[in-house]
Amino acid sequence: MSGGPLVVLVGPMGSGKSTVGALLAERLGVPYRDTDADIVAAEGRAVSDIFVEDGEPHFRALERAAVRAGLAEHTGVLALGGGAVLDEGTRVLLTPHPVVYLSMDVEEAVRRVGLNTARPLLAVNPRRQWRELMEARRHLYTEVARAVVVTDGRTPEEVAQAVLDVLELKDA
């Protein structure tokens, strides 16, 4: 495949997409881009504010556009928001790309993000909602991924190395 991102990271909130993505970009000598950050920059407000003020459907439309732009324009490491895979069109667009699913269990999610209420989809009973989100999304992450890297109990550096290894990429 020519053009497009060198690596695309997908996975649930807190799986380390942003942290690992930045490390990968640094190690590969390429730029890093996060579609949620693109949305925040374009809208001038936090993702949680977009959810509250305009609703999830509006956010998902913004997300689809951000992912489409990132896949078309970006040549480095691209991290997608946790729910980006919900869109069938996005899943189709991901098909030719080197997608890695960063997976983790609920206990790891609790350790990393505390399942705090700043996450709009986890505002009430976060542990149960996280499990439900994962039940709905896990097969979609797996569907789009060329490889799965388990992040539980690993440092961001270890996860980045595992991604490099699984995609057979070399440091810059």
Side-chain angles (χ1 to χ4, degrees), residues 65-93:
V67 170
R68 191 175 323 110
L71 291 172
E73 303 163 3
H74 191 65
T75 57
V77 176
L78 181 67
L80 306 189
V85 298
L86 294 170
D87 182 71
E88 183 179 356
T90 294
R91 293 193 306 275
V92 169
L93 287 175

Side-chain angles (χ1 to χ4, degrees), residues 1 5-6 11-12 18-19 24 29 54 65 70 79 85 88 99 110 117 125 130 146 161 166:
M1 186 199 88
L6 197 56
S18 297
T19 302
L24 283 170
D54 299 326
V85 298
E88 183 179 356
V99 178
V110 168
T117 55
N125 194 344
W130 192 90
R146 190 172 293 177
Q161 186 59 54
V166 75

